[in-house]
Protein backbone atom coordinates (compact mmCIF):
# COMPACT_ATOMS: atom_id res chain seq x y z
CA UNK A 1 0.00 0.00 0.00
CA UNK A 2 1.29 3.41 -0.97
CA UNK A 3 1.61 5.53 2.15
CA UNK A 4 2.96 8.91 3.22
CA UNK A 5 3.21 9.78 6.90
CA UNK A 6 4.12 13.28 8.04
CA UNK A 7 5.50 14.19 11.44
CA UNK A 8 7.22 17.04 13.24
CA UNK A 9 4.43 19.57 13.50
CA UNK A 10 3.72 21.55 16.63
CA UNK A 11 3.60 24.97 18.25
CA UNK A 12 6.47 27.34 17.54
CA UNK A 13 7.12 30.99 18.30
CA UNK A 14 7.23 33.56 15.51
CA UNK A 15 10.75 33.68 14.14
CA UNK A 16 11.39 30.10 15.19
CA UNK A 17 12.22 26.98 13.23
CA UNK A 18 10.71 23.58 12.72
CA UNK A 19 11.58 20.53 10.65
CA UNK A 20 8.88 18.36 9.16
CA UNK A 21 9.37 14.82 7.91
CA UNK A 22 7.38 12.65 5.54
CA UNK A 23 8.12 8.94 5.49
CA UNK A 24 7.13 7.07 2.34
CA UNK A 25 6.36 3.40 1.85
CA UNK A 26 4.78 1.12 -0.73
CA UNK A 27 6.56 2.57 -3.76
CA UNK A 28 10.05 3.28 -5.08
CA UNK A 29 10.63 6.53 -3.22
CA UNK A 30 13.98 7.27 -4.86
CA UNK A 31 12.25 7.66 -8.24
CA UNK A 32 9.51 9.93 -6.92
CA UNK A 33 9.22 13.69 -7.22
CA UNK A 34 7.77 14.96 -3.98
CA UNK A 35 5.91 18.06 -2.87
CA UNK A 36 4.79 19.94 0.20
CA UNK A 37 1.34 21.50 0.12
CA UNK A 38 -0.17 23.44 3.01
CA UNK A 39 -3.63 24.41 4.12
CA UNK A 40 -4.26 27.20 6.62
CA UNK A 41 -7.15 26.54 9.03
CA UNK A 42 -10.44 26.78 7.15
CA UNK A 43 -8.67 27.86 3.97
CA UNK A 44 -7.69 26.41 0.62
CA UNK A 45 -4.62 24.58 -0.61
CA UNK A 46 -1.28 26.24 -1.28
CA UNK A 47 1.62 24.52 -2.99
CA UNK A 48 4.84 25.07 -1.03
CA UNK A 49 7.50 23.37 -3.11
CA UNK A 50 8.72 20.34 -5.03
CA UNK A 51 11.90 18.30 -5.14
CA UNK A 52 12.83 16.10 -8.07
CA UNK A 53 14.43 12.69 -7.70
CA UNK A 54 18.21 12.59 -7.37
CA UNK A 55 18.46 10.92 -10.76
CA UNK A 56 16.74 14.00 -12.18
CA UNK A 57 19.11 16.31 -10.35
CA UNK A 58 17.21 16.76 -7.09
CA UNK A 59 16.13 20.22 -8.26
CA UNK A 60 13.85 22.15 -5.92
CA UNK A 61 11.17 24.72 -6.73
CA UNK A 62 9.53 26.92 -4.10
CA UNK A 63 6.52 29.15 -3.80
CA UNK A 64 7.49 32.81 -3.47
CA UNK A 65 5.84 32.99 -0.06
CA UNK A 66 8.42 30.58 1.43
CA UNK A 67 11.48 31.13 -0.77
CA UNK A 68 14.56 31.86 1.31
CA UNK A 69 12.94 30.62 4.53
CA UNK A 70 11.97 27.01 3.76
CA UNK A 71 14.22 24.24 2.47
CA UNK A 72 13.04 20.96 0.99
CA UNK A 73 15.40 17.98 1.05
CA UNK A 74 15.24 14.21 0.85
CA UNK A 75 17.03 11.17 2.23
CA UNK A 76 16.43 8.31 -0.16
CA UNK A 77 18.19 5.84 2.16
CA UNK A 78 15.41 6.47 4.67
CA UNK A 79 12.57 7.02 2.18
CA UNK A 80 12.01 10.37 3.83
CA UNK A 81 11.19 13.89 2.66
CA UNK A 82 11.97 16.92 4.81
CA UNK A 83 10.79 20.49 5.10
CA UNK A 84 13.05 22.78 7.12
CA UNK A 85 11.12 25.89 8.05
CA UNK A 86 12.95 28.94 9.40
CA UNK A 87 11.88 32.48 10.28
CA UNK A 88 8.35 31.25 10.80
CA UNK A 89 5.47 33.70 10.68
CA UNK A 90 1.88 33.54 11.91
CA UNK A 91 0.74 33.16 8.30
CA UNK A 92 2.70 29.90 8.03
CA UNK A 93 0.20 28.31 10.42
CA UNK A 94 -1.30 25.42 8.47
CA UNK A 95 -1.62 21.70 8.02
CA UNK A 96 1.35 20.62 5.94
CA UNK A 97 0.86 17.71 3.55
CA UNK A 98 3.44 15.84 1.56
CA UNK A 99 2.21 14.70 -1.82
CA UNK A 100 3.66 12.69 -4.65
CA UNK A 101 3.91 13.67 -8.32
CA UNK A 102 1.93 11.10 -10.27
CA UNK A 103 3.41 9.04 -13.11
CA UNK A 104 1.28 8.94 -16.21
CA UNK A 105 2.52 7.24 -19.34
CA UNK A 106 6.03 6.93 -17.86
CA UNK A 107 6.21 10.67 -17.30
CA UNK A 108 6.01 12.58 -14.04
CA UNK A 109 3.46 15.35 -13.78
CA UNK A 110 2.34 17.78 -11.11
CA UNK A 111 -0.72 15.67 -10.46
CA UNK A 112 -0.79 14.73 -6.79
CA UNK A 113 -1.89 11.12 -6.75
CA UNK A 114 -0.96 10.33 -3.17
CA UNK A 115 -1.17 12.52 -0.07
CA UNK A 116 -0.22 12.09 3.55
CA UNK A 117 -2.62 12.84 6.39
CA UNK A 118 -0.82 16.07 7.21
CA UNK A 119 0.85 17.59 10.25
CA UNK A 120 -0.28 20.81 11.91
CA UNK A 121 2.14 23.68 12.39
CA UNK A 122 1.01 26.54 14.61
CA UNK A 123 3.09 29.71 14.75
CA UNK A 124 2.08 31.75 17.77
CA UNK A 125 3.54 33.33 20.87
CA UNK B 1 1.45 33.05 -11.74
CA UNK B 2 -1.64 31.34 -13.14
CA UNK B 3 -4.64 32.30 -11.04
CA UNK B 4 -7.36 29.66 -10.69
CA UNK B 5 -10.83 30.99 -9.94
CA UNK B 6 -13.59 28.64 -8.89
CA UNK B 7 -17.31 29.31 -8.76
CA UNK B 8 -19.49 29.14 -6.86
CA UNK B 9 -17.83 29.21 -3.44
CA UNK B 10 -20.50 26.82 -2.21
CA UNK B 11 -23.60 25.09 -3.46
CA UNK B 12 -26.37 23.02 -1.97
CA UNK B 13 -27.87 20.30 -4.12
CA UNK B 14 -30.60 17.77 -3.42
CA UNK B 15 -29.68 14.11 -3.32
CA UNK B 16 -29.78 12.66 -6.82
CA UNK B 17 -29.54 16.04 -8.48
CA UNK B 18 -26.69 17.46 -10.55
CA UNK B 19 -23.90 19.58 -9.11
CA UNK B 20 -21.75 21.75 -11.36
CA UNK B 21 -18.53 23.46 -10.34
CA UNK B 22 -16.61 25.87 -12.55
CA UNK B 23 -12.91 26.63 -12.68
CA UNK B 24 -11.30 29.34 -14.76
CA UNK B 25 -7.57 29.83 -15.26
CA UNK B 26 -5.99 33.22 -15.93
CA UNK B 27 -4.17 31.76 -18.93
CA UNK B 28 -4.53 28.65 -21.02
CA UNK B 29 -3.33 25.40 -19.45
CA UNK B 30 -3.57 23.49 -22.71
CA UNK B 31 -0.10 22.19 -23.53
CA UNK B 32 0.73 22.30 -27.22
CA UNK B 33 3.15 19.37 -26.99
CA UNK B 34 0.43 16.80 -26.38
CA UNK B 35 -2.82 18.79 -26.59
CA UNK B 36 -3.63 17.92 -22.98
CA UNK B 37 -4.99 20.31 -20.41
CA UNK B 38 -2.86 20.50 -17.29
CA UNK B 39 -5.95 20.67 -15.08
CA UNK B 40 -6.74 18.47 -12.10
CA UNK B 41 -9.70 18.12 -9.73
CA UNK B 42 -9.47 16.98 -6.11
CA UNK B 43 -12.06 16.13 -3.50
CA UNK B 44 -11.41 16.91 0.16
CA UNK B 45 -13.71 15.58 2.85
CA UNK B 46 -13.61 17.05 6.38
CA UNK B 47 -10.54 16.02 8.32
CA UNK B 48 -9.01 14.24 5.34
CA UNK B 49 -6.32 15.07 2.80
CA UNK B 50 -7.36 15.85 -0.76
CA UNK B 51 -8.05 12.93 -3.06
CA UNK B 52 -7.31 12.93 -6.79
CA UNK B 53 -10.53 12.73 -8.81
CA UNK B 54 -9.80 13.82 -12.37
CA UNK B 55 -6.71 14.72 -14.36
CA UNK B 56 -6.10 15.98 -17.92
CA UNK B 57 -9.33 17.89 -17.21
CA UNK B 58 -11.52 14.89 -18.03
CA UNK B 59 -9.82 11.58 -17.14
CA UNK B 60 -11.20 9.94 -14.02
CA UNK B 61 -8.70 8.47 -11.59
CA UNK B 62 -9.04 4.73 -11.05
CA UNK B 63 -11.85 3.94 -8.62
CA UNK B 64 -13.64 7.26 -8.97
CA UNK B 65 -17.38 6.75 -9.60
CA UNK B 66 -18.56 7.60 -13.09
CA UNK B 67 -21.04 10.15 -11.73
CA UNK B 68 -17.99 12.45 -11.58
CA UNK B 69 -16.98 13.97 -14.89
CA UNK B 70 -14.73 16.77 -16.01
CA UNK B 71 -14.89 18.89 -19.12
CA UNK B 72 -13.47 22.01 -20.68
CA UNK B 73 -10.29 23.16 -22.37
CA UNK B 74 -7.93 26.09 -22.42
CA UNK B 75 -9.10 28.35 -19.61
CA UNK B 76 -12.58 27.13 -18.71
CA UNK B 77 -13.33 23.89 -16.95
CA UNK B 78 -16.23 22.17 -15.24
CA UNK B 79 -16.58 19.36 -12.72
CA UNK B 80 -19.99 17.73 -12.76
CA UNK B 81 -21.48 15.32 -10.27
CA UNK B 82 -24.38 13.87 -12.22
CA UNK B 83 -26.37 12.49 -9.29
CA UNK B 84 -25.24 13.77 -5.91
CA UNK B 85 -24.78 11.18 -3.19
CA UNK B 86 -24.44 11.82 0.54
CA UNK B 87 -20.79 10.74 0.43
CA UNK B 88 -20.00 13.46 -2.11
CA UNK B 89 -20.29 16.20 0.52
CA UNK B 90 -16.84 17.76 0.36
CA UNK B 91 -14.80 20.69 -0.87
CA UNK B 92 -13.63 20.39 -4.46
CA UNK B 93 -10.46 22.05 -5.76
CA UNK B 94 -9.09 22.53 -9.23
CA UNK B 95 -5.33 22.82 -9.77
CA UNK B 96 -3.12 23.64 -12.73
CA UNK B 97 0.22 21.99 -13.37
CA UNK B 98 0.99 23.84 -16.59
CA UNK B 99 3.70 25.90 -14.94
CA UNK B 100 5.27 26.73 -11.60
CA UNK B 101 4.13 27.77 -9.14
CA UNK B 102 1.49 25.07 -9.14
CA UNK B 103 -1.74 26.77 -8.13
CA UNK B 104 -5.13 25.77 -6.81
CA UNK B 105 -8.57 27.26 -7.03
CA UNK B 106 -10.11 28.54 -3.84
CA UNK B 107 -12.39 25.54 -3.48
CA UNK B 108 -16.12 24.88 -3.80
CA UNK B 109 -18.03 23.44 -0.88
CA UNK B 110 -20.79 21.01 -1.88
CA UNK B 111 -23.57 20.33 0.59
CA UNK B 112 -26.90 18.54 0.61
CA UNK B 113 -29.99 20.71 0.26
Amino acid sequence: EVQLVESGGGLVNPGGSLRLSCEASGFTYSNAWMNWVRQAPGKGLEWVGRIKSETNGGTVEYAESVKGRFTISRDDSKNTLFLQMNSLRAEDTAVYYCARHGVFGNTLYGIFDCWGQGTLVTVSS
Amino acid sequence: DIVMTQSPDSLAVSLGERATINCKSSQSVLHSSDNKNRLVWYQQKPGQPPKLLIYWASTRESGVPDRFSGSGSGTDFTLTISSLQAEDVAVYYCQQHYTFPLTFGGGTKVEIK
Side-chain angles (χ1 to χ4, degrees), chain B residues 7-46:
Chain B
S7 62
D9 291 337
S10 65
L11 73 162
V13 176
S14 300
L15 289 172
E17 295 300 305
R18 179 184 299 261
T20 301
I21 300 168
N22 300 301
C23 175
K24 188 174 183 68
S25 58
S26 60
Q27 66 185 74
S28 176
V29 297
L30 177 63
H31 210 284
S32 57
S33 65
D34 55 13
N35 208 38
K36 289 183 176 179
N37 288 284
R38 302 303 200 250
L39 192 284
V40 187
W41 289 98
Y42 300 94
Q43 175 193 63
Q44 186 178 32
K45 295 181 179 181

Short mmCIF file of all heavy atoms in Angstrom, two decimals, chain B residues 7-46:
data_model
loop_
_atom_site.label_atom_id
_atom_site.label_comp_id
_atom_site.label_asym_id
_atom_site.label_seq_id
_atom_site.Cartn_x
_atom_site.Cartn_y
_atom_site.Cartn_z
N SER B 7 -15.98 28.81 -9.10
CA SER B 7 -17.31 29.31 -8.76
C SER B 7 -18.31 28.15 -8.82
O SER B 7 -18.14 27.22 -9.61
CB SER B 7 -17.72 30.42 -9.73
OG SER B 7 -17.78 29.93 -11.06
N PRO B 8 -19.32 28.19 -7.97
CA PRO B 8 -19.49 29.14 -6.86
C PRO B 8 -18.57 28.75 -5.70
O PRO B 8 -17.88 27.73 -5.76
CB PRO B 8 -20.96 28.95 -6.49
CG PRO B 8 -21.21 27.50 -6.78
CD PRO B 8 -20.39 27.18 -8.00
N ASP B 9 -18.59 29.55 -4.65
CA ASP B 9 -17.83 29.21 -3.44
C ASP B 9 -18.47 28.02 -2.73
O ASP B 9 -17.78 27.21 -2.10
CB ASP B 9 -17.79 30.39 -2.48
CG ASP B 9 -16.95 31.55 -3.02
OD1 ASP B 9 -16.07 31.30 -3.87
OD2 ASP B 9 -17.19 32.69 -2.60
N SER B 10 -19.78 27.94 -2.82
CA SER B 10 -20.50 26.82 -2.21
C SER B 10 -21.80 26.59 -2.96
O SER B 10 -22.30 27.52 -3.63
CB SER B 10 -20.78 27.08 -0.74
OG SER B 10 -21.64 28.17 -0.58
N LEU B 11 -22.30 25.38 -2.89
CA LEU B 11 -23.60 25.09 -3.46
C LEU B 11 -24.26 23.96 -2.70
O LEU B 11 -23.57 23.06 -2.19
CB LEU B 11 -23.52 24.79 -4.96
CG LEU B 11 -22.96 23.47 -5.44
CD1 LEU B 11 -23.40 23.23 -6.88
CD2 LEU B 11 -21.46 23.44 -5.37
N ALA B 12 -25.58 24.04 -2.63
CA ALA B 12 -26.37 23.02 -1.97
C ALA B 12 -27.27 22.37 -3.01
O ALA B 12 -28.01 23.06 -3.72
CB ALA B 12 -27.20 23.62 -0.84
N VAL B 13 -27.16 21.05 -3.09
CA VAL B 13 -27.87 20.30 -4.12
C VAL B 13 -28.64 19.16 -3.46
O VAL B 13 -28.14 18.53 -2.52
CB VAL B 13 -26.86 19.74 -5.15
CG1 VAL B 13 -27.55 18.86 -6.19
CG2 VAL B 13 -26.12 20.89 -5.82
N SER B 14 -29.81 18.88 -3.95
CA SER B 14 -30.60 17.77 -3.42
C SER B 14 -29.97 16.44 -3.82
O SER B 14 -29.33 16.34 -4.88
CB SER B 14 -32.04 17.83 -3.94
OG SER B 14 -32.66 19.03 -3.55
N LEU B 15 -30.16 15.44 -2.99
CA LEU B 15 -29.68 14.11 -3.32
C LEU B 15 -30.25 13.66 -4.65
O LEU B 15 -31.45 13.84 -4.93
CB LEU B 15 -30.06 13.12 -2.23
CG LEU B 15 -29.32 13.25 -0.90
CD1 LEU B 15 -29.94 12.34 0.16
CD2 LEU B 15 -27.84 12.96 -1.06
N GLY B 16 -29.37 13.13 -5.51
CA GLY B 16 -29.78 12.66 -6.82
C GLY B 16 -29.78 13.72 -7.90
O GLY B 16 -29.94 13.40 -9.08
N GLU B 17 -29.57 14.96 -7.50
CA GLU B 17 -29.54 16.04 -8.48
C GLU B 17 -28.10 16.32 -8.94
O GLU B 17 -27.13 15.83 -8.37
CB GLU B 17 -30.16 17.31 -7.90
CG GLU B 17 -31.66 17.17 -7.58
CD GLU B 17 -32.45 16.83 -8.82
OE1 GLU B 17 -32.37 17.56 -9.83
OE2 GLU B 17 -33.17 15.79 -8.80
N ARG B 18 -28.00 17.16 -9.95
CA ARG B 18 -26.69 17.46 -10.55
C ARG B 18 -26.03 18.62 -9.83
O ARG B 18 -26.68 19.61 -9.49
CB ARG B 18 -26.89 17.81 -12.03
CG ARG B 18 -25.63 18.18 -12.79
CD ARG B 18 -25.99 18.60 -14.20
NE ARG B 18 -26.64 17.49 -14.91
CZ ARG B 18 -26.03 16.68 -15.75
NH1 ARG B 18 -24.74 16.83 -16.00
NH2 ARG B 18 -26.70 15.73 -16.35
N ALA B 19 -24.71 18.49 -9.65
CA ALA B 19 -23.90 19.58 -9.11
C ALA B 19 -22.85 19.96 -10.15
O ALA B 19 -22.20 19.09 -10.72
CB ALA B 19 -23.21 19.15 -7.81
N THR B 20 -22.70 21.25 -10.36
CA THR B 20 -21.75 21.75 -11.36
C THR B 20 -20.84 22.79 -10.74
O THR B 20 -21.30 23.76 -10.14
CB THR B 20 -22.49 22.36 -12.56
OG1 THR B 20 -23.36 21.36 -13.13
CG2 THR B 20 -21.52 22.84 -13.61
N ILE B 21 -19.55 22.56 -10.89
CA ILE B 21 -18.53 23.46 -10.34
C ILE B 21 -17.67 23.96 -11.50
O ILE B 21 -17.28 23.18 -12.37
CB ILE B 21 -17.65 22.72 -9.33
CG1 ILE B 21 -18.51 22.18 -8.17
CG2 ILE B 21 -16.53 23.61 -8.81
CD1 ILE B 21 -17.77 21.19 -7.28
N ASN B 22 -17.39 25.26 -11.49
CA ASN B 22 -16.61 25.87 -12.55
C ASN B 22 -15.23 26.28 -12.07
O ASN B 22 -15.04 26.64 -10.90
CB ASN B 22 -17.34 27.09 -13.10
CG ASN B 22 -18.69 26.72 -13.66
OD1 ASN B 22 -18.81 25.90 -14.58
ND2 ASN B 22 -19.75 27.29 -13.09
N CYS B 23 -14.29 26.24 -12.97
CA CYS B 23 -12.91 26.63 -12.68
C CYS B 23 -12.37 27.36 -13.90
O CYS B 23 -12.46 26.86 -15.03
CB CYS B 23 -12.08 25.39 -12.39
SG CYS B 23 -10.31 25.67 -12.16
N LYS B 24 -11.84 28.54 -13.66
CA LYS B 24 -11.30 29.34 -14.76
C LYS B 24 -9.85 29.68 -14.45
O LYS B 24 -9.52 30.12 -13.34
CB LYS B 24 -12.10 30.63 -14.93
CG LYS B 24 -11.75 31.44 -16.16
CD LYS B 24 -12.68 32.61 -16.33
CE LYS B 24 -12.39 33.39 -17.59
NZ LYS B 24 -12.72 32.61 -18.81
N SER B 25 -8.98 29.49 -15.43
CA SER B 25 -7.57 29.83 -15.26
C SER B 25 -7.27 31.15 -15.96
O SER B 25 -7.89 31.49 -16.96
CB SER B 25 -6.68 28.72 -15.82
OG SER B 25 -6.95 28.48 -17.18
N SER B 26 -6.31 31.89 -15.41
CA SER B 26 -5.99 33.22 -15.93
C SER B 26 -5.25 33.15 -17.26
O SER B 26 -5.13 34.17 -17.95
CB SER B 26 -5.19 34.01 -14.91
OG SER B 26 -3.97 33.34 -14.61
N GLN B 27 -4.73 31.98 -17.60
CA GLN B 27 -4.17 31.76 -18.93
C GLN B 27 -4.39 30.30 -19.30
O GLN B 27 -4.68 29.47 -18.42
CB GLN B 27 -2.69 32.12 -18.99
CG GLN B 27 -1.78 31.26 -18.15
CD GLN B 27 -0.35 31.75 -18.16
OE1 GLN B 27 -0.01 32.75 -17.54
NE2 GLN B 27 0.51 31.04 -18.88
N SER B 28 -4.27 30.01 -20.56
CA SER B 28 -4.53 28.65 -21.02
C SER B 28 -3.59 27.65 -20.38
O SER B 28 -2.39 27.92 -20.21
CB SER B 28 -4.38 28.57 -22.54
OG SER B 28 -4.56 27.24 -22.98
N VAL B 29 -4.13 26.49 -20.00
CA VAL B 29 -3.33 25.40 -19.45
C VAL B 29 -3.28 24.22 -20.42
O VAL B 29 -2.92 23.11 -20.05
CB VAL B 29 -3.85 24.95 -18.04
CG1 VAL B 29 -3.73 26.11 -17.05
CG2 VAL B 29 -5.27 24.44 -18.13
N LEU B 30 -3.64 24.50 -21.66
CA LEU B 30 -3.57 23.49 -22.71
C LEU B 30 -2.15 23.45 -23.25
O LEU B 30 -1.64 24.45 -23.77
CB LEU B 30 -4.55 23.80 -23.82
CG LEU B 30 -4.53 22.87 -25.03
CD1 LEU B 30 -4.92 21.45 -24.63
CD2 LEU B 30 -5.46 23.39 -26.12
N HIS B 31 -1.49 22.30 -23.10
CA HIS B 31 -0.10 22.19 -23.53
C HIS B 31 -0.04 21.77 -24.98
O HIS B 31 -0.62 20.75 -25.36
CB HIS B 31 0.63 21.17 -22.64
CG HIS B 31 2.08 21.46 -22.47
ND1 HIS B 31 3.01 21.20 -23.46
CD2 HIS B 31 2.76 22.00 -21.44
CE1 HIS B 31 4.19 21.56 -23.03
NE2 HIS B 31 4.08 22.05 -21.80
N SER B 32 0.68 22.54 -25.78
CA SER B 32 0.73 22.30 -27.22
C SER B 32 1.47 21.02 -27.59
O SER B 32 1.26 20.45 -28.65
CB SER B 32 1.37 23.48 -27.93
OG SER B 32 2.67 23.71 -27.41
N SER B 33 2.33 20.54 -26.68
CA SER B 33 3.15 19.37 -26.99
C SER B 33 2.32 18.09 -27.13
O SER B 33 2.66 17.21 -27.91
CB SER B 33 4.20 19.16 -25.91
OG SER B 33 3.59 18.86 -24.67
N ASP B 34 1.24 18.01 -26.36
CA ASP B 34 0.43 16.80 -26.38
C ASP B 34 -1.07 17.09 -26.43
O ASP B 34 -1.88 16.16 -26.35
CB ASP B 34 0.74 15.91 -25.17
CG ASP B 34 0.58 16.65 -23.84
OD1 ASP B 34 0.01 17.75 -23.81
OD2 ASP B 34 1.04 16.11 -22.82
N ASN B 35 -1.42 18.37 -26.52
CA ASN B 35 -2.82 18.79 -26.59
C ASN B 35 -3.61 18.32 -25.36
O ASN B 35 -4.81 18.01 -25.46
CB ASN B 35 -3.48 18.25 -27.86
CG ASN B 35 -4.61 19.16 -28.33
OD1 ASN B 35 -4.51 20.38 -28.24
ND2 ASN B 35 -5.69 18.57 -28.80
N LYS B 36 -2.95 18.29 -24.22
CA LYS B 36 -3.63 17.92 -22.98
C LYS B 36 -3.69 19.12 -22.05
O LYS B 36 -2.73 19.88 -21.93
CB LYS B 36 -2.89 16.78 -22.29
CG LYS B 36 -3.02 15.44 -22.99
CD LYS B 36 -2.33 14.34 -22.21
CE LYS B 36 -2.55 12.98 -22.87
NZ LYS B 36 -1.87 11.89 -22.14
N ASN B 37 -4.81 19.24 -21.39
CA ASN B 37 -4.99 20.31 -20.41
C ASN B 37 -4.37 19.91 -19.08
O ASN B 37 -4.69 18.84 -18.52
CB ASN B 37 -6.47 20.61 -20.21
CG ASN B 37 -7.07 21.32 -21.41
OD1 ASN B 37 -6.86 22.51 -21.60
ND2 ASN B 37 -7.81 20.56 -22.22
N ARG B 38 -3.52 20.77 -18.55
CA ARG B 38 -2.86 20.50 -17.29
C ARG B 38 -3.76 20.95 -16.13
O ARG B 38 -3.43 21.84 -15.36
CB ARG B 38 -1.52 21.22 -17.22
CG ARG B 38 -0.52 20.87 -18.34
CD ARG B 38 -0.23 19.41 -18.39
NE ARG B 38 1.02 19.10 -19.09
CZ ARG B 38 1.08 18.51 -20.26
NH1 ARG B 38 -0.02 18.19 -20.90
NH2 ARG B 38 2.27 18.27 -20.79
N LEU B 39 -4.91 20.28 -16.01
CA LEU B 39 -5.95 20.67 -15.08
C LEU B 39 -6.43 19.44 -14.32
O LEU B 39 -6.76 18.42 -14.92
CB LEU B 39 -7.11 21.34 -15.81
CG LEU B 39 -8.20 22.08 -15.03
CD1 LEU B 39 -9.20 21.12 -14.34
CD2 LEU B 39 -7.64 23.04 -14.00
N VAL B 40 -6.43 19.58 -12.99
CA VAL B 40 -6.74 18.47 -12.10
C VAL B 40 -7.87 18.88 -11.15
O VAL B 40 -7.99 20.06 -10.80
CB VAL B 40 -5.50 18.10 -11.25
CG1 VAL B 40 -5.75 16.84 -10.43
CG2 VAL B 40 -4.29 17.91 -12.13
N TRP B 41 -8.67 17.90 -10.76
CA TRP B 41 -9.70 18.12 -9.73
C TRP B 41 -9.44 17.19 -8.55
O TRP B 41 -9.14 16.00 -8.73
CB TRP B 41 -11.09 17.82 -10.29
CG TRP B 41 -11.61 18.82 -11.27
CD1 TRP B 41 -11.57 18.72 -12.63
CD2 TRP B 41 -12.26 20.06 -10.99
NE1 TRP B 41 -12.17 19.81 -13.20
CE2 TRP B 41 -12.59 20.66 -12.21
CE3 TRP B 41 -12.60 20.73 -9.80
CZ2 TRP B 41 -13.24 21.89 -12.30
CZ3 TRP B 41 -13.24 21.95 -9.88
CH2 TRP B 41 -13.57 22.53 -11.13
N TYR B 42 -9.59 17.75 -7.35
CA TYR B 42 -9.47 16.98 -6.11
C TYR B 42 -10.74 17.13 -5.29
O TYR B 42 -11.44 18.16 -5.36
CB TYR B 42 -8.30 17.49 -5.25
CG TYR B 42 -6.95 17.41 -5.92
CD1 TYR B 42 -6.44 18.51 -6.60
CD2 TYR B 42 -6.19 16.25 -5.86
CE1 TYR B 42 -5.20 18.44 -7.21
CE2 TYR B 42 -4.94 16.18 -6.47
CZ TYR B 42 -4.46 17.29 -7.14
OH TYR B 42 -3.23 17.23 -7.75
N GLN B 43 -10.97 16.13 -4.47
CA GLN B 43 -12.06 16.13 -3.50
C GLN B 43 -11.45 16.08 -2.10
O GLN B 43 -10.57 15.25 -1.85
CB GLN B 43 -12.94 14.91 -3.71
CG GLN B 43 -14.05 14.72 -2.69
CD GLN B 43 -14.66 13.31 -2.80
OE1 GLN B 43 -14.00 12.31 -2.57
NE2 GLN B 43 -15.94 13.26 -3.16
N GLN B 44 -11.90 16.95 -1.22
CA GLN B 44 -11.41 16.91 0.16
C GLN B 44 -12.59 16.85 1.12
O GLN B 44 -13.38 17.79 1.21
CB GLN B 44 -10.53 18.12 0.48
CG GLN B 44 -9.90 18.00 1.88
CD GLN B 44 -8.99 19.15 2.20
OE1 GLN B 44 -9.19 20.29 1.77
NE2 GLN B 44 -7.94 18.88 2.99
N LYS B 45 -12.68 15.73 1.82
CA LYS B 45 -13.71 15.58 2.85
C LYS B 45 -13.17 16.08 4.18
O LYS B 45 -11.95 16.14 4.38
CB LYS B 45 -14.13 14.12 2.94
CG LYS B 45 -14.81 13.63 1.67
CD LYS B 45 -15.25 12.19 1.78
CE LYS B 45 -15.94 11.74 0.50
NZ LYS B 45 -16.41 10.34 0.55
N PRO B 46 -14.06 16.48 5.09
CA PRO B 46 -13.61 17.05 6.38
C PRO B 46 -12.64 16.15 7.10
O PRO B 46 -12.87 14.94 7.24
CB PRO B 46 -14.93 17.20 7.15
CG PRO B 46 -15.97 17.35 6.10
CD PRO B 46 -15.53 16.48 4.97
#
